[in-house]
Amino acid sequence: MSLNRLKPELSEILSRDDLKVDDRLTRVCELLQQNVDYYNWVGFYFADHNTRTLHLKSFAGEPTDHTVIPFGKGICGQVAESNSNFVVPDVQAQDNYIACSLHVKAEIVVPLFKDGKNIGQIDIDSHKSDPFSAEDEAFLEWVNKKVAEIL
Ligand code: SME
């Protein structure tokens, strides 16, 4: 199953000028969560660089209590500072991890850059152990580039 097959529909959603950006991002989350069996929760966090916090903007999956995350805290907060992808094959092996659900076994966070600045991230939780590969990283970098174009 290739992730790239989802690209045409993702492009179509993001180009929908009749929808607000937040609604387009929610649809992107839903498409990913519904079509990739190991993407069980998908969300976009955006950074407030003044307060050094991340804020959940759009998501698909179970609602989470963690709608605001300080920079440096959890996998998400670490990516806000590192500017690098963070692939976690086993969340239980992480000290600096914020648990959202007992079902989550793995997580991937890919930063979202606008004009070279790390302004947010896509965060995906999986109920499968070690499901993410270089293909997911490349695909999610592509998604974030497309999202940056409409921000
Ligand atoms: N697990 C994340 C928190 C966000 S939830 O996955 C939705 C973290 O450690 O930063």
Side-chain angles (χ1 to χ4, degrees), residues 99-124:
C100 282
S101 146
L102 292 175
H103 302 296
V104 175
K105 295 205 169 94
E107 178 162 2
I108 183 170
V109 179
V110 173
L112 193 158
F113 298 98
K114 175 85 182 169
D115 302 328
K117 191 173 182 185
N118 180 356
I119 60 160
Q121 53 192 237
I122 189 166
D123 175 19
I124 299 181

Side-chain angles (χ1 to χ4, degrees), residues 41 43 45 54 56 62 64-66 69 73-78 91 96-101 104 107 109 121 123-125:
W41 187 94
Y45 284 92
L54 291 163
L56 184 62
E62 290 291 305
T64 174
D65 288 341
H66 302 109
I69 298 176
K73 299 276 182 199
I75 308 303
C76 296
Q78 292 177 77
V91 294
N96 190 356
Y97 168 70
I98 302 166
C100 282
S101 146
V104 175
E107 178 162 2
V109 179
Q121 53 192 237
D123 175 19
I124 299 181
D125 287 340

Side-chain angles (χ1 to χ4, degrees), residues 26-38:
T26 301
R27 288 192 186 201
V28 166
C29 292
E30 287 168 352
L31 184 82
L32 294 175
Q33 196 244 4
Q34 287 163 12
N35 287 279
V36 185
D37 59 354
Y38 57 95

Side-chain angles (χ1 to χ4, degrees), residues 5-142:
R5 80 192 192 286
L6 298 173
K7 286 182 175 178
E9 202 174 340
L10 289 165
S11 296
E12 201 270 326
I13 292 169
L14 289 168
S15 66
R16 289 276 304 269
D17 289 336
D18 58 314
L19 295 176
K20 285 190 272 179
V21 167
D22 285 14
D23 294 334
R24 285 183 248 176
L25 292 183
T26 301
R27 288 192 186 201
V28 166
C29 292
E30 287 168 352
L31 184 82
L32 294 175
Q33 196 244 4
Q34 287 163 12
N35 287 279
V36 185
D37 59 354
Y38 57 95
Y39 286 8
N40 299 108
W41 187 94
V42 180
F44 285 99
Y45 284 92
F46 285 90
D48 180 333
H49 287 97
N50 293 319
T51 57
R52 292 180 51 79
T53 49
L54 291 163
H55 297 258
L56 184 62
K57 198 182 185 68
S58 308
F59 72 96
E62 290 291 305
T64 174
D65 288 341
H66 302 109
T67 55
V68 180
I69 298 176
F71 283 16
K73 299 276 182 199
I75 308 303
C76 296
Q78 292 177 77
V79 169
E81 293 184 325
S82 71
N83 306 322
S84 301
N85 297 349
F86 199 156
V87 180
V88 182
D90 172 10
V91 294
Q92 291 198 11
Q94 294 291 320
D95 291 334
N96 190 356
Y97 168 70
I98 302 166
C100 282
S101 146
L102 292 175
H103 302 296
V104 175
K105 295 205 169 94
E107 178 162 2
I108 183 170
V109 179
V110 173
L112 193 158
F113 298 98
K114 175 85 182 169
D115 302 328
K117 191 173 182 185
N118 180 356
I119 60 160
Q121 53 192 237
I122 189 166
D123 175 19
I124 299 181
D125 287 340
S126 182
H127 296 173
K128 248 190 194 171
S129 295
D130 196 9
F132 302 114
S133 68
E135 191 193 349
D136 296 276
E137 289 190 71
F139 173 65
L140 297 171
E141 286 168 9
W142 179 88

